[in-house]
Amino acid sequence: ATVFLAQGFATYVAALGPLPESAIDQALHALFVSGRYLRNVGLAPDNVLRHVYPLAGNEKALGLRYESNPQQWPAVQRAMESRSTVMVGPIDLVQGGRALLSRTPVFLADHRYWGILSVAIDIDALLDASGLKRGPHDLTFALRESSDEVAQGALISGDAGVFQRNPILMELKVPGETWQLAAIPANGWHHRPAGDWVWDVLAYGMAAVLTLSLGAAVRERRLATQARDALEALNHQLSAANYELGRLSETDPLTGVPNRRGLDEVLALEWRRCRRHGEALTLMMIDIDQFKAYNDAYGHLQGDSCLRQVADTLQRTAQRAGEFVARVGGEEFVMVLPGMGGDGVVEQADRMRADIEALAIPNRGSTVASVVTISLGVATRTPESTLTLEALMEAADSALYRAKRLGRNRVEIASL
């Protein structure tokens, strides 16, 4: 879940450019409260840690230059080179304590590297929530980075001796890394001690020896099966949790509609489908007019309620197969309309504008109307080799800004 949040932030910056200084702390706060088991989140433009949330207790981390820190620089380099999130640790933090560190590289739309988003995860809280540190079970667990033929991986949790006692092993994939989970019965594997009684047993005949050996083998097998079943059950729970986290990572928690991550996946899919079938694809960029003035006049709680009402109303218009509404910013929404073009697009856009106005949500902070309104920028094109998805998005965005310049509460159509 933490990785999805960080990747969403990186996608936002890639699409809209670097955040202004005044908005960075607010963005990091949003990431922090949306995540779980976090110690802090930090942003390092040009690989210098300039922003940390929460600041209290993390002041020593400010100004850290990753290139000058031999413990942290290799992971940052790997993230930059792979252009993907890399998780390392637990490591000792500059400001004190130990944590897992998730490094997500942030690139701009022109593919220039901008900086690193760093998320510190409380390893003890994470392991406790996973069930590895609490019962009921009769197993002893240990967790380490995956080992190779040269050296064993660093221990993350538990007793390293577990790996030397014939454990059941499971590989766990994390961003940029593989972990190895080991389990043995809490009381250890049961081996029959050698002694003089063995010779007494032999005296009673080979049949008795075989019976005892078979019994020991059955017990060993049963213990191994119990350990494996317990690990498989835990893995099923983790898989179910991962599926739910993946779904939540694509949903805006405030409005319940998909977020930017969900939009990117659907938009890329519909673009390819429309291109394959020669169908038109329409993109609507939607902005609530003067929403900052609304928040200033009525407060953020009323602002949240307004966003939910607008999202519900927009979503009700997405009735055809493939139509899709997503929230991509504070007061910004996007609607995807595959297979639609011409007058039908204009009619639907104006109907959406009228539906929002008809909600009659009072807005005394607006200079456009006495109620909440929206502006829409619309771009339609059949995908082809000379037109990119990014160009379609830019055209819709430009049309939206034209609608705002011309007085808001209106629909503007892009020329492509």
Side-chain angles (χ1 to χ4, degrees):
T2 298
V3 171
F4 288 145
L5 288 170
Q7 290 175 343
F9 177 90
T11 302
Y12 180 88
V13 172
L16 301 181
L19 293 173
E21 289 289 321
S22 59
I24 289 179
D25 288 340
Q26 183 178 358
L28 294 184
H29 170 264
L31 280 172
F32 183 81
V33 300
S34 299
R36 301 177 67 188
Y37 320 119
L38 305 187
R39 291 191 53 154
N40 60 69
V41 292
L43 192 60
D46 297 321
N47 293 332
V48 179
L49 193 60
R50 303 190 187 281
H51 302 272
V52 179
Y53 187 91
L55 181 58
N58 296 295
E59 295 89 343
K60 292 183 179 180
L62 287 176
L64 170 66
R65 293 181 177 274
Y66 286 129
E67 293 183 40
S68 303
N69 188 302
Q71 186 181 25
Q72 300 195 27
W73 177 235
V76 174
Q77 277 188 306
R78 270 202 296 151
M80 293 167 58
E81 292 168 359
S82 66
R83 301 176 72 93
S84 61
T85 299
V86 171
M87 184 176 291
V88 296
I91 68 173
D92 295 320
L93 301 177
V94 173
Q95 63 270 40
R98 289 171 61 79
L100 291 173
L101 291 181
S102 172
R103 312 287 200 194
T104 299
V106 182
F107 290 85
L108 302 181
D110 60 4
H111 306 295
R112 284 185 297 118
Y113 174 70
W114 183 65
I116 282 284
L117 177 65
S118 177
V119 180
I121 304 169
D122 187 327
I123 179 64
D124 292 325
L126 179 65
L127 293 174
D128 185 64
S130 73
L132 296 183
K133 300 182 72 174
R134 54 185 167 84
H137 49 61
D138 297 320
L139 302 173
T140 297
F141 292 103
L143 184 65
R144 71 181 178 187
E145 296 176 356
S146 194
S147 60
D148 55 31
E149 296 180 359
V150 178
Q152 293 182 344
L155 185 68
I156 297 173
S157 176
D159 180 359
V162 170
F163 289 94
Q164 310 300 322
R165 297 167 65 186
N166 192 29
I168 303 298
L169 298 175
M170 178 182 290
E171 298 292 325
L172 302 177
K173 295 292 184 181
V174 297
E177 185 60 86
T178 301
W179 290 349
Q180 195 173 52
L181 179 65
I184 59 173
N187 295 324
W189 301 109
H190 298 297
H191 298 286
R192 298 187 60 82
D196 292 340
W197 62 271
V198 174
W199 304 105
D200 295 335
V201 172
L202 287 173
Y204 288 99
M206 186 59 69
V209 173
L210 292 174
T211 300
L212 290 174
S213 299
L214 180 60
V218 169
R219 286 195 297 275
E220 293 289 330
R221 182 63 180 174
R222 184 170 62 249
L223 287 172
T225 300
Q226 289 173 352
R228 187 174 294 106
D229 289 347
L231 280 175
E232 288 178 355
L234 181 59
N235 193 39
H236 287 316
Q237 293 173 10
L238 292 173
S239 297
N242 282 336
Y243 175 82
E244 179 64 12
L245 288 172
R247 185 187 67 81
L248 291 175
S249 75
E250 297 179 357
T251 303
D252 174 48
L254 176 63
T255 62
V257 301
N259 58 17
R260 183 57 187 259
R261 177 182 173 84
L263 170 68
D264 288 344
E265 293 187 2
V266 170
L267 193 52
L269 179 67
E270 291 298 337
W271 178 264
R272 292 192 297 269
R273 191 185 66 78
C274 287
R275 183 173 182 176
R276 187 166 58 250
H277 295 287
E279 297 179 348
L281 179 67
T282 292
L283 199 63
M284 295 185 183
M285 306 292 286
I286 305 163
D287 188 79
I288 301 178
D289 294 326
Q290 297 180 320
F291 187 68
K292 183 179 185 303
Y294 183 92
N295 267 337
D296 292 342
Y298 297 95
H300 289 285
L301 289 179
Q302 282 296 105
D304 290 349
S305 176
C306 174
L307 287 168
R308 284 191 288 266
Q309 292 181 70
V310 170
D312 289 344
T313 302
L314 295 177
Q315 196 169 35
R316 282 197 295 271
T317 67
Q319 298 296 325
R320 297 168 60 249
E323 293 186 346
F324 187 84
V325 177
R327 181 186 177 203
V328 296
E331 67 274 18
E332 296 177 354
F333 296 85
V334 173
M335 176 171 278
V336 181
L337 302 167
M340 177 180 284
D343 294 339
V345 170
V346 180
E347 292 174 2
Q348 180 155 338
D350 198 58
R351 184 169 62 252
M352 291 163 56
R353 182 201 60 76
D355 287 346
I356 298 301
E357 192 171 14
L359 292 174
I361 303 172
N363 187 7
R364 62 174 178 264
S366 173
T367 61
V368 180
S370 59
V371 296
V372 169
T373 58
I374 60 173
S375 298
L376 300 93
V378 181
T380 301
R381 190 67 182 266
T382 301
E384 55 190 38
S385 59
T386 58
L387 178 72
T388 64
L389 176 57
E390 290 74 16
L392 184 67
M393 296 178 69
E394 290 175 3
D397 200 44
S398 296
L400 171 62
Y401 279 99
R402 188 165 64 251
K404 294 165 73 173
R405 286 197 308 270
L406 294 175
R408 300 183 173 88
N409 192 22
R410 60 187 293 128
V411 177
E412 285 293 318
I413 309 297
S415 298
L416 285 173

